[in-house]
Amino acid sequence: MAVFVATDVESAVQRLDDRPDSVVLAGGTDLMVEVNDGRLRPSPDADVVAVNRVAELRSWRHDSAAATVTIGAAVTYSEMLDEPLATLAPALAEAARTVGSPQIRNAGTLGGNLGTCSPAGDGLPVLAALDASVEIASVAGRRSVAVLDLMKGPKRTTLEPGDLIVSFTLPVVDGWQGYAKVGVRNAMVIAIASTCLVLDRQRQRVGLALGSVGPTVLRVPAAETKFAAALDWRTMTAERDAVQAFGDGAAQTAAPIDDHRSSAEYRRHAIGVLTRRLAARGLDTAGRAA
Ligand SMILES: Cc1cc2nc3c(=O)[nH]c(=O)nc-3n(C[C@H](O)[C@H](O)[C@H](O)COP(=O)(O)OP(=O)(O)OC[C@H]3O[C@@H](n4cnc5c(N)ncnc54)[C@H](O)[C@@H]3O)c2cc1C
């Protein structure tokens, strides 16, 4: 394989445009598995465009006036665990902590997680629950897209050939956010079901995203609106029934399948449990701080 090591966004997108069958390489923890298994063979006329030396993709910034954090696509999971980023995006840090092993966390990136777009990708429910936007570059220029609009199905995005994911912008939430997943064991595990919950106190908004229970990450608008209305945002408390109904609503929205990892029935059950647990944890933590 010919590898082009990009040093900036412009040279990366130019190379992708010049050699149209080229593929982007970030940490390689998904891409090299495809190559090693023979499912991907970059053609001799194409390049592997390595982006993990592009400073803009390797860095993050906090805009305190806008209350947002913008995270480069090639920032690794290990770096998401470092302070102060972990405090600005706590659900992302929580999700990053569950990804693979230290070796995978040292190489794997959020851009690669979205590039692969597995319904089980641990970063994706967090981006979805926070209504994150994605900046994409190509030779035509840059554009910003809601992450939910990019995820089309299992391993399918609306990215066009020549597109490079540059960064993700997420709100810094006044309230609480958390991530939880169930797998067949406690570490080095692909999620059987996962949830990210955001309780945005300032906007009085609930965001809940479900992973591994649909063709792609799912939001649950009806259950979110109902739970937001049932919440006392001043004291950050809710009746037990409201938490129960929230979990039931999430489980009903889930559209799981049976596969080698789990039955659909267990996945649906797990979504209800994870949603109720996150809601209880969020209200407990945010309620004590209120
Ligand atoms: C042992 C093992 C355990 C794992 N455990 C987990 C886990 O627990 N949770 C989880 O979510 N994932 C897991 N994974 C999958 C993988 O680590 C993640 O999906 C990771 O986020 C991929 O990032 P990467 O930088 O390595 O992507 P790469 O492998 O470099 O790329 C993946 C795909 O995204 C594209 N891409 C990468 N960057 C960009 C960009 N900037 N713009 C456009 N396209 C881009 C590539 O062309 C490729 O199609 C595991 C993988 C392994 C091998």
Side-chain angles (χ1 to χ4, degrees):
M1 298 186 303
V3 178
F4 174 75
V5 180
T7 49
D8 54 31
V9 168
E10 289 65 35
S11 65
V13 295
Q14 191 58 58
R15 196 72 177 197
L16 290 171
D17 190 59
D18 290 345
R19 294 166 70 100
D21 289 333
S22 297
V23 284
V24 177
L25 173 79
T29 61
D30 278 328
L31 191 93
M32 293 315 295
V33 174
E34 295 285 298
V35 171
N36 289 342
D37 289 352
R39 290 192 294 268
L40 180 78
R41 275 275 159 249
S43 83
D45 304 328
D47 276 332
V48 169
V49 178
V51 294
N52 54 6
R53 292 195 195 157
V54 177
E56 189 177 351
L57 270 66
R58 290 283 302 116
S59 56
W60 64 271
R61 61 183 187 278
H62 176 208
D63 181 339
S64 49
T68 57
V69 61
T70 297
I71 303 173
V75 168
T76 65
Y77 294 110
S78 295
E79 289 162 341
M80 292 171 219
L81 293 171
D82 290 342
E83 293 296 355
L85 185 54
T87 295
L88 292 166
L92 193 60
E94 214 172 338
R97 200 169 291 119
T98 75
V99 172
S101 60
Q103 293 89 336
I104 298 295
R105 293 194 287 275
N106 284 342
T109 67
L110 213 45
N113 213 215
L114 181 59
T116 296
C117 201
S118 159
D122 283 307
L124 305 182
V126 179
L127 297 174
L130 284 164
D131 287 324
S133 64
V134 188
E135 188 175 40
I136 298 162
S138 72
V139 286
R142 295 194 183 210
R143 64 190 193 278
S144 182
V145 181
V147 75
L148 276 161
D149 292 340
L150 261 183
M151 299 189 282
K152 269 294 156 225
K155 306 207 169 174
R156 270 194 311 122
T157 66
T158 57
L159 287 172
E160 299 285 343
D163 278 349
L164 177 73
I165 304 166
V166 175
S167 61
F168 301 88
T169 296
L170 351 165
V172 176
V173 172
D174 167 20
W176 186 87
Q177 51 182 278
Y179 177 78
K181 90 184 194 191
V182 172
V184 290
R185 53 179 185 254
N186 284 336
M188 275 291 285
V189 72
I190 301 296
I192 281 173
S194 63
T195 46
C196 178
L197 175 64
V198 176
L199 302 174
D200 184 335
R201 211 171 163 203
Q202 200 185 355
R203 296 181 189 82
Q204 302 203 347
R205 177 193 154 272
V206 171
L208 179 70
L210 316 178
S212 285
V213 288
T216 188
V217 171
L218 303 174
R219 284 284 296 266
V220 283
E224 289 169 13
T225 309
K226 207 167 152 199
F227 191 53
L231 251 171
D232 180 332
W233 288 95
R234 192 182 56 79
T235 57
M236 293 303 283
T237 51
E239 296 294 333
R240 196 181 274 262
D241 286 356
V243 174
Q244 180 68 37
F246 188 36
D248 293 347
Q252 278 157 21
T253 307
I257 54 165
D258 292 314
D259 68 9
H260 61 287
R261 288 205 183 90
S262 168
S263 68
E265 190 188 354
Y266 178 74
R267 284 193 154 103
R268 192 183 295 284
H269 170 76
I271 285 293
V273 172
L274 290 175
T275 301
R276 283 190 285 275
R277 277 191 198 159
L278 278 184
R281 181 149 64 91
L283 293 177
D284 186 44
T285 312
R288 271 188 278 120

